Amino acid sequence: MTVAVRVEQLRKRYGHLRAVDGVSFEVAEGEIFGLLGPNGSGKTTTLECLQGLRHPDGGVLEVFGCDARTDPRGVRRLVGSQLQESALPDRIKVWEALRLFSTIDGNGQGWEGLLDEWGLSERRNAAFGDLSGGQRQRLFVALALVAEPRLVVLDEMTTGLDPAARRVAWDLVAAIRDRGATVLLVTHFMDEAARLCDRMAVLRSGQVVACGTQDQLLAAAQLRSVVRFTATAPADLGFLDHLDGVDEVIRAPQAPVIVSGQGPVLARVAHALVARGLEPADLRVELPGLEDAYLALTEDVEPTDADRR
Amino acid sequence: MRAVPGLAWLEIKLFLREPLTAVFVLVLPLVVLYVLNGVFGSQPDPSVWDGHSPVDFYTSAYVALVLATIGVLSLPVHLAGYREQGVLRRFQASSLQTSTLLGAHLLVAVVIGAAAALTLTGVSILGYDATTPHDILGVLGAFLLVSVAFASLGTLLGFTLPSARAAQGLGVLLFFVFLMLGGAGPPRELLPSAMLRLSDLTPLTYAARLLRAPWLGEAWDLTATTVMVGLLLTSTTLTTWRLRAG
Ligand SMILES: Nc1ncnc2c1ncn2[C@@H]1O[C@H](COP(=O)(O)OP(=O)(O)O)[C@@H](O)[C@H]1O
Ligand SMILES: [Mg+2]
């Protein structure tokens, strides 16, 4: 496995605020890796340090073995990026921007193809200032790809897009990976992360609180699954209390039985029921999703900025 | 550095698409030339303008004024705006070096300055019978020095001022100070002594003198050269320092 990105113990302060406080993660070549976390948790700062746009206070930052701290230009040659807070001159035309960045970053060729690919052909003569939000995002992504970078960094590329445009953007990200590039993606949307990311890291107050695949994050969040079914005689179900992993059983008259717990609760409940000759037709499980895991990982005592000084 | 010509060409196109700046730099000096010629006529008056005819005196002053305007107004507003909007970030995230970006802007400042200077000179000579430059190479050298010195001051301001609005405020203020005190407005000989001292502190005074000497076939002005070279070196050093710290 080739390591595309290595971040180790990254630290960055703004004055007294520890914006990034010991962040570590690795991205393998060909992965789509997500950085998740609430506003202000340090995602953008991490990406900016990685691209040599900010000087970190400490830590290791490498892109395909190239050190971002000693050789930021080398890193920029490997990375194509869509930054969260960036813009183009209002009066630059779409084709001019693509051609300019293709001469800066690449060999000045291939940009015409990107116009078609990103649905910008009809707007090729439009000024940047006249583009819609979605068109701007597409142009930025096209600019990020113009030099065929090995790593593509996207910072909240779908924020501000309508749901239909977001779906289109997702397909495009998948397409970037299919060309062989590695993608490092910041997002607020858990459906987006669940759909796109192979692995992800969750940041809170400048620290990684969990890192791994979606399943690993779910496990780390230690969420309970909930099993429901209707029983003719709820009073006889005392054995459920003693099953492994079950935390709570609610048996109210005239209502479904609710069993909640961690681990393979559904299998255990089903097994116990069947063993006793009970086969409820409406046995159902509600599994926690990535959104629940994310909220659980980031919610408890969200520190204020004052705590990070 | 490969990107300099492409970037410079694009910036020139962007400049021309920005009607207000283009008017300020290219048209306003012509209007001032027209008005002041109406006021002062074309007769030399031995008591003012060092004894030169007004149009000969003012043409070099206006060329200097235009170059200074590009430097203290257009360039800082443009660069501070780039910083503010995140255009600069976008460029920095590419493999473009900031020095390349600055090189391109310097080139653009010189090209636009040359276009404005040629227009002004042409109109002065054809329309108002101004003297053609005596020492063309000297005028060219003076033009380059003045243009680059003010452009590097503009770069410094653009990277230092907090916003495009601040840059605009300072730029317009400096424009009027230059216009009134730098020799492009009322003749120096008529300024009260306090104003005269201020005039001696205005870089435009020296820029105009530097251009005027070869233009009218006088001895090369060493004081003015020193001031302009000083401005260039100071601005460049401070800009480099600012970028390193940034
Ligand atoms: N240039 C800056 N100066 C001072 N504080 C900053 C600056 N940029 C970001 N911050 C602060 O650092 C923290 C992390 O910001 P950021 O990395 O942008 O977070 P995210 O991208 O996760 O929303 C926030 O509290 C933010 O206010
Ligand atoms: Mg951010």
Side-chain angles (χ1 to χ4, degrees), chain A residues 48 51 53-54 73 76 81 83 85-89 91-93 96 100-101 103-106 143-144, chain B residues 2-3 6-7 9-10 13-14 17-19 82 85-87 89-97 244 246:
Chain A
E48 288 176 341
Q51 293 173 72
L53 294 172
R54 291 194 188 278
R73 293 191 66 209
R76 284 179 212 150
S81 79
L83 299 156
E85 272 162 31
S86 74
L88 292 172
R91 290 171 203 264
I92 198 171
K93 293 178 182 168
E96 290 172 334
L100 177 67
F101 281 90
T103 43
I104 292 174
D105 288 330
L143 292 180
Chain B
R2 200 164 35 104
L7 190 55
W9 174 233
L10 187 66
K13 288 199 280 184
L14 293 178
R17 287 176 201 162
E18 204 77 60
Y82 268 18
Q85 293 158 20
V87 176
R89 288 189 94 48
R90 186 62 198 84
F91 278 124
Q92 283 170 337
S94 69
S95 25
L96 186 78
Q97 277 182 292
R244 289 247 171 83

Side-chain angles (χ1 to χ4, degrees), chain A residues 146-161:
Chain A
V146 82
E148 306 196 351
R150 291 177 75 187
L151 174 69
V152 176
V153 173
L154 304 168
D155 195 347
E156 295 194 22
M157 67 174 282
T158 58
T159 299
L161 297 191

